[in-house]
Structure formats: C-alpha cells, structure tokens
C-alpha cells in the first residue's frame, strides 16, 4: 500500500520552480509555460520530444512531466489540414495538446537502441489503461531518454518507489464534500431498514468478521451475531450473505455473498443452511429462495477443487440455483485486449462487425446484463428473494447486484443515487479496485488486473442508450468516472476495501471524485431525464441492441470520435435551461392556481397548498 | 447427487414482459358489430368473422379476436381487444393499428394444419383446401398471422383469395390512389381546385399541389414549375445556370421533369440536338451549386459513340464556363464505383431474411457477422464514402462534379441527394429534405413504381430509396445536432412509400403520372380543365396521416439550426447497426 507521507515532498526538477498562480478554476497555471497544474502538483521536468501521433504522424513538441500528469504541447503549429483531422478540443492556439494523468499509464517501454537506424526509432512507448498508446521519439545522442524514462517510471508507479499516490498530495478544494454523499445508515433508512425482518449490525465494526466487507451490515433479524460468525466460516473469505437491497413493496431482497466452502468432499454447514432459510422466510410470498451463481456451471464445479463450490440441492432444499454463465476476470481482460487490437490505433474497417464479434466483448456485456435482468425480474415479478454470488463475491456479484438495483430502483438513476450505488455495492463491499486497476503499480502483467468496473459502466451506458429519459446523468458523467478510475487524482477508487481505506484515512487525506462532479453537476446532466418513481427498466440484452461504446473505446481516434461534441453539448445546455424555465413556470402556475383555490377563506381543506403563499387574513 | 441445472438458453424478457398472472385470454370469440373505417372510394371486398390474430410466436395468450376485412386499399383486422404488447407513440390516421395497406404486402401464404398443406397465393389462383391460417409477409418487415379455427371455412377462403387478388393488381390504374382521387373529383363537383380531403388542413395537397411539411408551415417546393427551379438557382446563388423549358409537355424526354436547369452558355437548340445522343434523352441536369460556384450535375451516358467525345467536351466546357473560377469538371462514373441495383437488392433480401425469417436464437449468436454478411451496411458505407469524396471535390477542390450513370435515374438520385445533405444545411430541415426528394428522386425520374414493385411483377425491384434514408439515418446518428428531423420522421417517410394513396411515390416519372391519370380521367369522365393529370394527395401533406401532436415527433430535439457547420469531409466510418428499420 502507499506509504502515505503527508509531508510536502520535494520535486526532483532543478530549475523548474517557476512562480505559480492560482486561477479561478483552481488550477495553477505556470506563468511561463501555461501547463495546467492542480494545487499540490509540481513540475518535475520538461523536454523536447517528437510525439508520434498515430493519426497524423510525428510532431515536435515539449513534454512536461509533473507528479500528476504528462503534458505535451506541440512546438509546430499544425497545418490547417491537420487541424481539420484532429479533434478540436485538443487544441489551444493551434498547437496540439496531450494531457495525460500518469495514473493512466500501465507500461513504459523503451523502443529502439542507441544505434537503431531510421527516423524516430529511438524513444519511449507508453501503454495506457484507457485504450491508447503514446509514443515519443527522442534524440539518440547522450542517452536522452534515460531521465525521462526514469522520472515517468517513478511517478507513474509511485508505489514501487515508496512514493505516495498523487491523491494524497492533491490540495484541490471544492465547495461540496463528496465523502458525505454516501452514508450507509441513511441509505438503508431510505430503503426502509431496519424493519421487522432485517436489522443493522455493527458486528464488523472493526472488520473482524470480514476484512473486505463494510463496517455496517444488514442481516436477518432472526440471525444472531453468533450465527453470523458461524456462517462466516463456511463462506469464502468470510463474505457472508448480507442484504443489498429490499423491494419497497413486496419486501423481497437481494442478498450478496461469496461461494460456500463445499470442497471436493461436498461439505455441509448446518448454520449456513439455516441462515439461508432464515433469509427465505423473511419473504412469505414464495416458498423458495433463488440463488444466482454468476459463474458458468463448469467453473463452479471446478471451484470445488480449491475448496469452493455451490449450494447443492440436497443441502439447500428450499433454494433454487441458477448459473448465469458469466466468465471470470481473466476472460474479460483478454476480451478487452482484443477490442483494443481492433480499434487502436487503426479501426479494423474491412470486417468491422465480425472482428467486433470475435472479441466477444458485447457477448460478455450481454451475459452480465441478462444476469442482472434475471435478478431484477425475479425480485420484482417473481416475488422471490434472491441470493447472488460468484467465487469471492466482489466482481461479478457486484456487477449483478448493482445493475439489478439500477433496474429496480429509480433512485440510483440520479447523479447522487448512482454515486451512492457505486460507493455502496462496489467501493464499500470490497471490489478490489487497487488490484483490478493496479493504481501506481508497475506490474502491468498482474493477473489480478481486469476491467470489471469498466464492464459495469459499459452496461450502464447500454441501459442509458435504451432508456434515454431514465437517467439523470449523461455520457460525460460515465466517462469522467472512468477517467478518474485510473487517474489517482481522487481517493474514491483507491485501495481494495473499506478497512484498508480507513487505515489510510482516505476520506481525511484525499479528495472525493464526487466533490468534483457534484460541484459542477450541470455538465453531467441529461436534458431528457424524466423522473419516474416505480418503473423497472428491463433493457433488451440482445446483440441486436447492444452497441460498442464508440465514444469511449474509440475516442482517441479523431476520425471516429463523435464529430460534433460541441453543438450537442451546447444543445444539452439549452434544453436544460428550457426545462428549468418550464418547471419554474409550472410552479408559478401551480402557485397561482393554489392561491386562487385558497383565496376564498372557505377552503381550508388543503393547508399544505397554502403553505408557500403567505396569507394575511385579519 | 446434485444435478446441475443448466441456465435456460433464452430469457423471455428479450421479447416479452413478465407473464401476467391473471390470464385474460378470451377463449370465447366475441360476437359484436365490428365496422371498418373506410376512405372515400374504398369498398369492402370480402370479410370473415371470428378470426384470431396471433401476436406472439410461442404463446396464444396475447391473441386477439376480431373480424378480418379485405378492401381495395388495405386488409383490416377489427377488434375490440386492446393491443396487449407494444404500443406506438403515434397513430396513422389512414390505417388502424392492425391494418396493412395492400401495397405493403409482399407474400401471402395459406396453411391448412390438418391436411398439412401450404400454398403461396398468387393473383387469380385457386385454393384447393380451406385455410386454417393465413400468413402475410409485409414489405415493412412485419409478419402478420391470422387463424381461422372458429371462422366459417368458406368465407375464410374467400378472404384469402380476395387479398391475393387485390394486392397483386395487373395494372397501375387499379391501385387505390386512382379510385380515391377519382372519387374526390366526383364529389367536389365544380370546385376543382380542392380535392376535398377531409382531414387535411393543407387541403388539396395534390401531386402538384401544396403539401405542407410535417409540423412546419413552409411549403415544400415540388419542382414541377419553372419558378421552383428558378428559386433554387437563386437560393444557391448559382450564376451561369438557367431554367430551360424545352421539355415542356415532355417533348424531349419522358423521364425528365418539364423544367431543367442547364449551363447558360448552352442554347435550347444545341440541347435539343445533344439530347438524342443520351440514354433516355436525359441531358445533363443541374442539381445544386456550392457557394464557391462549383456545381453538381447528373447525366446519363452518351450512347452515340461517334458523337461521344464531342458532346462530352461541349458539355464539360459549358459547365466550366458556368463556374465563376472556370474550374475543371470532375467526372464520377457511378456504375463503376458503386454497387449496382441488383446487388443492393440482394443485400436487402439477405438483411430481411436475417431480421425477419431466421430463428431469433440462431441469429443472435452470430448477429454481427451475419449482419456483415448481408453486405447492406457495406453498401450504405460505399454510398456515404463516395458522396463524401465528391463533397471534398466540390468544397475543397472547387471543382464542379458530374455524376455519370447509364440512365442516371438510380445511383445518381442517391449520391446527388447525399452530397447535398452533407453540404447544404437547408436539406437537413424537414422542408428542405422533402424538396430534395422531390428534386432528385420524384422529378428526376426515379422509378418508384418499379423499384418499390407496387405491382409485384417487377424484376426491377431495388430498395435504393431505403438505402438513401438509411444513409441519412447514419448521418443523423453521427451529427445529432445537424438535422431538424428525427429517426421517427425517416421511418414514417419510408412507410409512406407503401401506402398507395399518395401520388408522390407511385410512378416511374412525372410524365407517367400525367399520362396515366389523364387516361384514367377520360375513362371515368373526370374534367381535368387546365390541370396536367390528376392531383393525387402528396406525402408531404403529413396532416393526412398524422395529427399535429404526432407530427411533433418528426422534430429532433438536438437540432440547433443553421449554425451547424457543414458536414466535414473525411471518410465516413463507425457504423451503427441498422436498428430503426422502417416499418413496424
């Protein structure tokens, strides 16, 4: 984990301590160079390089490396033809700008040697986590790339060099505090919990029951804390079944956990069996508990060899088990790699659709969505409580519960609701962000890395495409979340679980991503959003409707990018303003109307309506 | 031992909402007076009661009971049962929810379960068994199924035969539009300027009349008159071009409009002489001019080999002379660069096969590669890409572009329209888009009758117009702020090509409309007066089909008007799979 020294650490650059000035947007701008800087960001070095743009060829520029970002400004102004091709927002004063948080870097390689021939054959090749590569060529004389390589390695992978992640150095201030967005007690209260059947327990207050679970858990009222401890022994990594969501009307629940430790011998555990029965009994409408095992059945069987397994028929009489056929983190990682192969730097044009099909990415999206639809449908229409697990219950399980909750509960489709959903089902329940993303870690081949959260956001995007009025947020909101999933500018996605975050005092020492977003909400709002309370969304999880998220996966390619972001954003703003105006006018009319109604003193039947209008009767 | 329960291969929510617990299946056929809504001139030919309309393929729980009617315009299923599943956001005023216009029918299949017999019904055919089921394959990708288990076997058979007969007419004048418009003329008596279409607030939106754009009050120029062309010249600021009237009365060519725009330097006399050398006597037609003076021109091939060089040279010189900078002409041979109409048709047939006929689960697995194999998107891309290249010639190279095609009536329509949609924001408005279709398709002699195959005998069927709408949809997806109209508008527009009430998409050329309708008028004793042929209702009079409220769905909320820059040059990539297939 990060050695989190709070002391202001010294920059390694020698002469670059130029005067800084805080501009209105809170970003320091270097007076001489105009490199954007965050409070707490320091310039380390700068160097003249050739940026080998995969779309427009080599271009001379100066690269600036800070402890947060790599920033490149081209020295040549581009010909108008180039500017035509390259996305306009990359430009300032007709020079090309690259602005890449170092957290995005997964691998830095040297290309060519001191003696390699050919133009621009000597330099660095940087692989990024966000579907792109950056290549810089340097002069061959005097090992000119050595210090750039070393500095980049140092600051892109601070954990390997006993340096803190940038989030711990970031001194940004926002007028809202994103850390207060999620309060578990409040969220459970919103769901109507605790109630007769479900209670809040603090058994995990010091993370003793389960070190990857949150401190606060909701469990059946009839299960004692001792019961919970006994069940924990039979669940992988002690991740016992706990409540994620309760249906406001039929009171059926979504419960999440890890696999039971059945093993080769087919072990049973009376406490676990009883505990599941207690969960089942909280719902009187259906005599069975439905268990969704996210894995393909073959994998579930194979897990027995390592001590895991699934709930057998014999042991769990009152449960029905279904496998959802979702593959593991390794399959997903390889699939995304294939997506990158066909979109970066060049889009595979001649057989685009069959190439896309062969990556299986959309097929995986389909399976995840189909699984979540089944969970949501079971709870909503089937009136059955549902238990969801995979192996450890922190990857596929998080995908399924959070997507099902998004389908069932319109609250999570608002900006703050979605933040709460992510904070709850992903961050607090121990999706291993640190391992899956590899924040500040140089081991790019780590088998623990996998785009599980990205896949979830993709599913959300697919839903927002199919229900354009159901979500308060727009595509930019999802993209900014993904950008800061890697950037290490905020503490939100750092570390693997709540206990680790607490040890590192993340909420005190870092800024939350939600602070940035919530202080500038308008930018992330969908103008077509219409609030609906009780509508369950069932997306169509068919290949006929799923699409590749071009605006994310192929956004670096200027020829593929949505070609007119600006007019659409402008129109968004216009529509939002228009909507606000209508809402205001509606309120005024309602007010006028209620004033009319309440004007004759003989209508005291609606006191609440009179409230906004102060009457002065004598 | 525990037995593994494999996951269900499919999940029903792909298609259907969760099953309702309280089944409201009407097991008893209702006996009720169910009356069809008929248009002027529409008559019921045959009908049968106690028909069950099948809704879902795997269950009968959503089926509806009612009466099946065949008229000379449509087949109509009349029921009191509410539509159980999908509801549309808009309703066509001419058609009920379950109606199919006869011109929309592709194939009629009758089935007898008990005898295990099945027959595709052509016109004037005999049926040796009593059908228990009727399956109608529609051109708009619908499949409609009726069961006759409870109906009188003879009347069921009669209805099937009637549908087969009336949906496959032997003559153009048997299409319903003639009956309808004839009735209008008779009803209106002396007041021949109004066709008395009841629901239309635009009044006589005739083939040559004033059709209002959806929701917009602007008139759509139809390019039937001298002044429409003249205005277009002025609108585009084209200098060096003039309206030429030598084809008045279709004296030169029967597949050109009466008025065409030509280089000012070419005299009428020269054009008359040149015209003989062109296929179909189709002289060069001006389409549009860029503000930099570059013109877009379309023309047929010169068949006269001896004259070819000379005429070609003369025309190119004239076009160059009309360019303010005297720029050269860039010639694009569309027959060599684009798929031909047979290939487009073959791709469309495969696409339809994939979307409609093949089992859902089988196609689901290999959906993307199957879609690719139809080549439909590849062809859409080819048209867009080529058009974008021509845009580059016109806009950046300042060259005038001449589209060459054997007859100049198919690929040229599509390419000329796409180039203009890309370059001129006016054509991205509803009125502008409609005027573009008038200019480059209807008046330029796109053979709607043959290509849409309204008479179902044509070997020349090809969905080029649909391909154009699809390409426009692709542009709309890529430039959501640049278009005034929506996806709904495009879908509804395509559906309208299947309603044989409007004159717009009924004929192979404007001349054919005049000729056929004059013959019809004489045979029905209709006085035409000064009019050139009957005034059929125009598709652009959208009030005939949709209420003002429904027409608001034609508008794209993202549209930001004329401030949008032109669609840039550059290869058009990143294709969406075609989802919004027109029709239901």
């Amino acid at each position: 984990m990060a050695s989190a020294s709070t002391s202001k650490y010294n920059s390694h650059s020698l002469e670059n301590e130029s005067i800084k000035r805080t501009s209105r947007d809170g970003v320091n701008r270097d007076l001489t160079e105009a490199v954007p800087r965050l409070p707490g960001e320091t310039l380390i070095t700068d160097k003249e390089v050739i940026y080998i743009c995969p779309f427009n060829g080599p271009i001379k520029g100066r690269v600036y490396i800070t402890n947060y970002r790599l920033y490149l400004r081209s020295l040549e102004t581009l010909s108008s033809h180039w500017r035509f091709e390259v996305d306009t927002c990359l430009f300032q004063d007709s020079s090309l700008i690259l602005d890449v948080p170092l957290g995005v870097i997964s691998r830095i390689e040297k290309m060519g040697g001191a003696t390699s021939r050919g133009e621009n054959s000597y330099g660095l090749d940087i692989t990024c986590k966000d579907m792109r590569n950056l290549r810089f060529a340097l002069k061959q004389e005097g090992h000119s790339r050595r210090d750039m390589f070393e500095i980049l390695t140092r600051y892109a992978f601070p954990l390997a060099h006993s340096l803190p992640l940038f989030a711990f150095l970031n001194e940004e201030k926002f007028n809202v505090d994103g850390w207060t967005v999620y309060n578990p007690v409040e969220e459970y209260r919103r769901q109507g919990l605790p109630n007769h059947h479900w209670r809040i327990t603090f058994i995990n207050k010091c993370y003793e029951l389960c070190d990857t679970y949150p401190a606060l858990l909701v469990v059946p009222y009839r299960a004692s804390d001792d019961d919970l401890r006994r069940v924990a022994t039979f669940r992988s990594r002690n991740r016992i079944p706990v409540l994620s969501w309760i249906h406001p009307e039929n009171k059926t629940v979504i419960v999440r956990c890890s696999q039971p430790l059945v093993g080769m011998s087919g072990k049973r555990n009376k406490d676990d069996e009883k505990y599941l029965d207690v969960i089942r009994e909280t719902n009187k409408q259906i005599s069975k508990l439905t268990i969704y095992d996210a894995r393909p059945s073959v994998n579930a069987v194979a897990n027995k060899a390592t001590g895991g397994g699934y709930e057998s028929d014999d042991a769990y009489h009152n449960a029905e088990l279904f496998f959802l056929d979702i593959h593991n983190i390794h399959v997903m990682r390889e699939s995304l790699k294939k997506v990158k192969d066909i979109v970066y730097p060049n889009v595979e044009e001649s057989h685009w659709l069959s190439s896309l099909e062969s990556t299986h990415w959309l097929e995986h999206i389909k399976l995840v969505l189909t699984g979540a639809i089944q969970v949501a449908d079971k709870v909503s229409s089937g009136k059955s409580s549902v238990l969801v697990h995979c192996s450890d219950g922190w990857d596929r399980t998080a995908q399924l519960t959070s997507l099902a909750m998004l389908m069932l509960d319109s609250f999570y489709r608002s900006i703050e609701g979605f933040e709460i959903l992510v904070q709850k089902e992903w961050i607090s329940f121990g999706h291993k962000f640190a391992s899956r993303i590899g924040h500040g870690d140089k081991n790019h081949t780590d088998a623990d890395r996998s785009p599980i959260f990205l896949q979830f956001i993709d599913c959300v995007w697919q839903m927002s495409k199919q229900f354009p009025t159901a979500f308060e947020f727009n595509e930019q909101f999802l993209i900014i979340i993904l950008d800061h999933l890697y950037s290490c500018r905020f503490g939100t996605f750092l570390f693997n679980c709540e206990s680790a975050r607490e040890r590192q005092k993340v909420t005190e020492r870092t800024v939350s991503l939600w602070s940035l977003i919530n202080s500038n909400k308008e930018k992330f709002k969908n103008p077509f959003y219409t609030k609906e309370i009780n509508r369950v969304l069932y997306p169509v999880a068919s290949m006929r409707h799923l699409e590749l998220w071009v605006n994310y996966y192929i956004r670096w390619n200027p020829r593929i990018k949505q070609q007119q972001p600006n007019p659409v954003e402008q129109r968004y703003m216009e529509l939002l303003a228009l909507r606000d105006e209508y809402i205001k006018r509606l309120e005024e009319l309602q007010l006028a109307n209620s004033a009319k109604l309440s004007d004759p003193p003989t209508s005291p039947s609606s006191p609440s309506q009179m409230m906004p209008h102060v009457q002065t009767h004598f | 031992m525990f037995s593994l329960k494999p996951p269900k291969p499919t999940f029903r929510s792909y298609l259907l909402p969760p099953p309702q617990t309280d089944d409201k299946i009407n097991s008893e056929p209702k006996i009720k007076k169910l009356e069809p809504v008929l248009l002027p001139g529409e008559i019921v030919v045959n009908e049968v009661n106690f028909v069950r309309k099948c809704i879902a393929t795997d269950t009968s729980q959503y089926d509806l009971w009612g009466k099946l009617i065949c008229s000379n315009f449509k087949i109509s299923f009349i029921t009191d049962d509410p539509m159980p599943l999908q509801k549309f956001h808009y309703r066509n005023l001419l058609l009920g929810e379950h109606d199919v216009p006869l011109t929309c029918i592709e194939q009629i299949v009758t089935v007898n379960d008990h005898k295990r017999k099945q027959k595709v019904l052509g016109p004037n055919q005999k049926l040796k068994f009593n059908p228990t089921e009727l399956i109608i394959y529609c051109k708009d990708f619908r499949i409609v199924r009726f069961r006759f288990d409870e109906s009188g076997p003879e009347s069921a058979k009669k209805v099937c035969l009637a549908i087969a007969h009336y949906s496959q007419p032997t003559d153009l004048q048997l299409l319903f539009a003639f009956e309808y418009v004839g009735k209008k003329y008779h009803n209106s008596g002396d007041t021949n300027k109004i066709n008395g279409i009841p629901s239309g607030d635009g009044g006589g939106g005739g083939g040559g009349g004033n059709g209002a754009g959806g929701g917009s009050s602007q008139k759509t120029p139809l390019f039937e008159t001298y002044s429409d062309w003249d205005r277009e010249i002025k609108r585009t600021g084209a200098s060096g071009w003039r309206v030429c009237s030598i084809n008045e009365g279709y004296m030169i060519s029967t597949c050109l409009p009466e008025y065409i725009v030509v280089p000012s330097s070419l005299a009428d006399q020269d054009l008359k002489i040149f015209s003989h050398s062109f296929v179909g006597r189709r002289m060069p037609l001006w389409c549009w001019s860029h503000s930099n003076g570059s013109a877009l021109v379309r023309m047929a091939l010169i068949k006269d080999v001896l004259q070819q060089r000379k005429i070609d040279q003369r025309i190119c010189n004239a076009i160059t002379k009309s360019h303010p900078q005297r720029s050269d002409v860039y010639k694009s041979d569309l027959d060599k660069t684009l798929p031909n109409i047979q290939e487009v048709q073959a791709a469309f047939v495969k696409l339809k096969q994939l979307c409609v006929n093949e089992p859902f689960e089988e196609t689901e697995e290999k959906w993307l590669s199957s879609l690719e194999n139809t080549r439909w998107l590849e062809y859409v891309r080819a048209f867009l890409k080529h058009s974008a290249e021509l845009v580059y010639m016109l806009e950046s190279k300042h060259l005038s572009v001449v589209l060459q095609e054997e007859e100049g009536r198919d690929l040229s329509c599509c390419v000329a329209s796409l180039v203009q949609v890309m370059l001129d924001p006016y054509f991205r408005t509803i009125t502008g888009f409609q005027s573009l279709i008038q200019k480059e398709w209807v008046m330029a002699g796109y053979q709607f009758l043959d290509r849409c195959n309204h008479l179902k005998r044509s070997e020349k069927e090809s969905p080029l117009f649909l391909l154009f709408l699809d390409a426009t949809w692709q542009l709309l997806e890529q430039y959501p702020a640049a278009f005034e109209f929506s996806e709904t508008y495009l879908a509804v527009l395509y559906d309208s090509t299947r309603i044989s009430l409007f004159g717009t998409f009924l004929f192979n050329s404007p001349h054919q409309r005049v000729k056929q309708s004059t013959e019809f008028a004489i045979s029905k004793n209709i006085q035409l007066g000064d009019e050139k042929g009957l005034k059929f209702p125009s598709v652009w009079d959208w009030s005939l089909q949709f209420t003002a409220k429904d027409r608001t769905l034609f508008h794209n909320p993202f549209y930001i008007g004329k401030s949008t820059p032109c669609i840039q040059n550059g290869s058009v990539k990143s294709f969406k799979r075609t989802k919004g297939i027109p029709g239901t």
Side-chain angles (χ1 to χ4, degrees), chain B residues 482-531:
Chain B
F483 291 84
E484 188 188 13
F485 49 82
S486 62
E487 179 183 40
T488 304
Y489 169 82
L490 290 173
V492 158
L493 176 55
Y494 183 65
D495 281 346
S496 302
T497 64
R498 304 292 178 202
I499 301 175
S500 66
L501 183 83
F502 307 106
T504 315
F505 302 130
L506 217 49
F507 301 99
N508 282 337
S509 65
H511 170 257
Q512 190 184 36
R513 177 181 64 82
V514 173
K515 185 167 172 277
Q516 291 280 339
S517 66
T518 309
E519 280 175 23
F520 181 82
I522 291 165
S523 73
K524 297 282 170 178
N525 212 8
I526 296 167
Q527 300 298 315
L528 285 175
D530 294 340
E531 286 172 29

Side-chain angles (χ1 to χ4, degrees), chain B residues 408-468:
Chain B
R409 302 173 73 175
D410 286 301
L411 309 178
S412 308
C413 302
C414 194
V415 174
S417 310
L418 285 174
V419 167
Q420 291 173 71
V421 166
M422 290 178 188
L423 280 168
D424 192 338
Y426 169 67
F427 295 121
R428 295 175 224 141
T429 64
I430 290 176
T431 309
F433 190 69
Q434 294 177 166
S435 82
L436 183 69
I437 291 170
Q438 281 294 137
K439 187 169 73 161
E440 301 301 341
W441 296 82
V442 178
M443 298 318 283
Y446 178 72
Q447 299 164 79
F448 280 103
L449 180 68
D450 291 345
R451 299 290 178 252
C452 296
N453 201 7
H454 290 314
L455 299 179
K456 304 196 179 53
R457 290 170 305 158
S458 167
E459 308 280 285
K460 296 180 253 175
E461 185 169 349
S462 186
L464 225 54
F465 186 62
L466 175 64
L467 187 137
F468 163 63

Side-chain angles (χ1 to χ4, degrees), chain A residues 49-59 72 111 119-124 133-138 344:
Chain A
V49 297
I50 291 164
Y51 168 54
I52 305 171
C53 174
F55 312 110
N56 299 291
I59 181 163
L72 175 120
M111 58 175 192
E119 224 183 328
N120 303 328
S121 60
Y122 175 82
L124 297 176
N133 281 44
L134 304 171
R135 292 173 76 192
F136 300 103
L138 290 105
Y344 194 92

Side-chain angles (χ1 to χ4, degrees), chain B residues 208-414:
Chain B
N210 46 345
S216 99
S217 55
Q218 272 174 295
K219 270 188 197 173
T220 298
L222 299 176
F223 293 97
E224 290 182 337
T225 60
Y226 185 98
S227 58
D228 279 350
W229 287 102
D230 198 42
R231 263 195 296 273
E232 184 71 353
I233 289 177
K234 295 199 172 84
R235 191 186 69 79
T236 57
S239 57
W241 297 90
R242 68 179 178 93
V243 187
C244 155
S245 312
I246 54 170
N247 200 36
E248 249 175 15
Y250 308 100
M251 298 303 283
I252 305 282
S253 169
T254 52
C255 60
L256 285 181
E258 287 194 276
Y259 304 98
I260 59 174
V261 175
V262 296
S264 303
S265 57
L266 287 180
D268 282 0
Q269 205 45 46
D270 293 334
L271 285 166
K272 274 184 195 161
I273 295 164
F274 292 159
S275 71
H276 291 284
S277 307
F278 285 96
V279 175
R281 296 193 74 181
R282 288 177 69 93
M283 300 167 278
L285 287 177
W286 172 88
C287 306
W288 180 81
S289 281
H290 193 281
S291 56
N292 67 22
S294 306
L296 178 66
V297 179
R298 50 193 282 186
M299 69 184 201
L301 290 188
I302 303 163
K303 54 183 178 182
D304 186 340
V305 189
L306 293 172
Q307 299 282 322
Q308 206 167 13
R309 254 190 109 102
K310 196 187 106 202
I311 295 173
D312 196 60
Q313 200 59 49
R314 283 287 304 272
I315 289 185
C316 287
N317 286 344
I319 295 171
T320 301
K321 239 184 229 175
S322 293
H323 196 296
Q325 294 157 27
R326 305 287 176 267
S327 296
D328 275 345
V329 169
Y330 178 83
K331 278 192 245 166
S332 166
D333 186 342
L334 302 182
D335 289 322
K336 288 202 180 107
T337 43
L338 291 170
N340 62 37
I341 60 162
Q342 290 83 12
E343 286 166 324
V344 172
Q345 170 68 5
F348 178 70
V349 169
K350 279 194 204 156
L351 177 69
K352 202 159 145 179
Q353 179 75 16
L354 176 67
C355 294
V356 176
N357 294 348
E358 284 169 21
F360 185 90
E361 274 312 315
E362 282 170 37
T363 52
E364 178 70 6
E365 207 169 298
K366 292 264 164 234
W367 175 254
L368 293 175
S369 47
S370 311
L371 186 60
E372 183 177 286
N373 286 336
T374 68
R375 310 191 77 171
W376 176 258
L377 286 177
E378 182 186 324
Y379 292 161
V380 172
R381 174 169 183 246
F383 277 87
L384 279 166
K385 198 162 177 256
H386 189 63
S387 304
E389 280 159 21
L390 299 178
V391 164
Y392 178 69
M393 292 300 161
L394 285 158
E395 169 146 298
S396 304
K397 294 274 175 183
H398 298 229
L399 296 176
S400 287
V401 168
V402 175
L403 308 177
Q404 282 186 311
E405 187 191 359
E406 170 133 30
E407 277 195 277
R409 302 173 73 175
D410 286 301
L411 309 178
S412 308
C413 302
C414 194

